[in-house]
């Protein structure tokens, strides 16, 4: 039993390390570490492949809890990103955001910022955007499992705050925390509140947290 827990703990740490790479690539690129097009090929794609391989290894070793939490977190995170998009896209169309983030991610991933977006760059940008939502779901589910919804709201607030403090926002030319465009930080906080609400509901449902407070796996 002890060896099982030790093995599962090690693979859980591997999953968390791999999942944590993707959301940091865009801020790293904006900070001048390397182009996002390079980081996408050198870090993002390998991390996704390795994460899939780690899950297969966990399944083969019988680490059911880790596999369930990872898949539930990924599914909940992907779905929750749709809720985030309702807020973000609405604000963007009303002039509350400085640009279309998924489209920006796409042109940076394909290194065609000067040429402008294409169908392929849009596909990559949206895929990366939703993958970020998935891995944030994975991180919470693997670390905490099912929890009261307020835990998810705090988590979503911290994600939004982290984004506002990141080089990704300062590089947009809208000031510290985006305060030169007041609707932008408000949009970020509200969008991540929507994300965390859906993330919490789905994670708890799929991992078995009852209304009475009992938790599953």
């Amino acid at each position: 039993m002890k060896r099982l827990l030790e093995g599962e703990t090690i693979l859980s740490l591997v999953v968390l390390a791999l999942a944590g790479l993707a959301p940091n690539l865009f801020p790293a690129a904006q900070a001048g570490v390397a182009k996002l097009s390079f980081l996408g090929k050198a870090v993002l794609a390998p991390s996704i492949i390795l994460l899939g391989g780690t899950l297969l290894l966990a399944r083969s070793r019988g680490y059911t809890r880790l596999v369930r939490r990872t898949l539930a977190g990924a599914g909940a995170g992907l779905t929750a990103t749709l809720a985030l998009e309702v807020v973000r896209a609405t604000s963007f169309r009303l002039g509350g955001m400085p640009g279309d983030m998924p489209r920006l991610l796409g042109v940076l991933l394909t290194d065609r910022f000067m040429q402008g977006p294409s169908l392929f760059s849009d596909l990559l940008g949206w895929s990366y955007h939703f993958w970020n939502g998935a891995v944030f779901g994975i991180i919470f589910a693997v670390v905490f499992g099912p929890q009261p919804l307020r835990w998810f709201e705090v988590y979503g607030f911290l994600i939004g705050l982290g984004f506002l403090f990141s080089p990704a926002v300062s590089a947009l030319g809208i000031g510290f925390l985006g305060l030169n465009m007041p609707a932008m930080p408000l949009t970020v906080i509200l969008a991540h509140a929507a994300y965390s609400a859906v993330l919490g509901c789905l994670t708890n449902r799929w991992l078995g947290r009852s209304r009475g407070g009992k938790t599953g796996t």
Side-chain angles (χ1 to χ4, degrees):
M1 182 66 178
K2 183 178 180 181
R3 291 184 63 185
L4 175 66
L5 290 176
E6 289 176 349
E8 186 173 7
T9 299
I10 291 172
L11 285 188
S12 296
L13 292 174
V14 172
V15 167
L16 292 173
L18 292 171
L21 290 172
N24 290 295
L25 298 184
F26 177 52
Q30 295 301 93
V33 174
K35 285 187 175 183
L36 190 59
S37 56
F38 170 79
L39 294 174
K41 296 173 184 176
V43 181
L44 179 59
S47 72
I48 295 173
I49 295 170
L50 289 172
L51 182 56
T54 303
L55 279 186
L56 290 176
L57 179 60
R59 182 178 179 182
S60 70
R61 295 195 174 184
Y63 302 153
T64 306
R65 183 178 66 170
L66 174 58
V67 174
R68 287 190 69 241
R69 286 189 174 193
T70 302
L71 294 179
L78 282 171
T79 308
T81 305
L82 292 172
L84 179 148
E85 272 303 299
V86 170
V87 179
R88 186 204 66 81
T90 300
S91 179
F92 172 66
R93 286 176 172 78
L94 294 175
M97 295 289 284
D100 191 338
M101 184 60 68
R103 177 159 278 189
L104 172 61
L105 294 174
V107 296
L108 293 176
L109 279 168
T110 54
D111 200 15
R112 51 179 297 123
F113 188 81
M114 298 303 295
Q115 298 95 322
S118 65
L119 179 60
F120 180 63
S121 71
D122 283 347
L123 178 61
L124 284 184
W126 280 98
S127 297
Y128 177 41
H129 180 54
F130 271 83
W131 179 245
N132 282 338
V135 296
F136 277 124
I138 290 172
I139 290 169
F140 189 99
V142 170
V143 174
F144 300 110
Q147 294 294 338
L149 288 180
R150 63 180 178 273
W151 284 44
F152 291 90
E153 290 297 340
V154 172
Y155 182 61
F157 177 77
L158 292 176
I159 295 172
L161 199 62
F163 175 73
L164 289 173
F165 272 101
S166 75
V169 171
S170 58
L172 295 175
I174 52 176
F176 178 66
L177 297 179
L179 294 178
N180 290 349
M181 190 177 192
M184 191 270 189
L186 178 61
T187 298
V188 170
I189 296 302
L190 291 177
H192 285 87
Y195 170 86
S196 57
V198 175
L199 180 69
C201 289
L202 293 180
T203 300
N204 286 343
R205 180 176 181 179
W206 292 339
L207 292 180
R209 183 180 179 86
S210 68
R211 291 185 179 181
K214 294 182 179 180
T215 58
T217 56

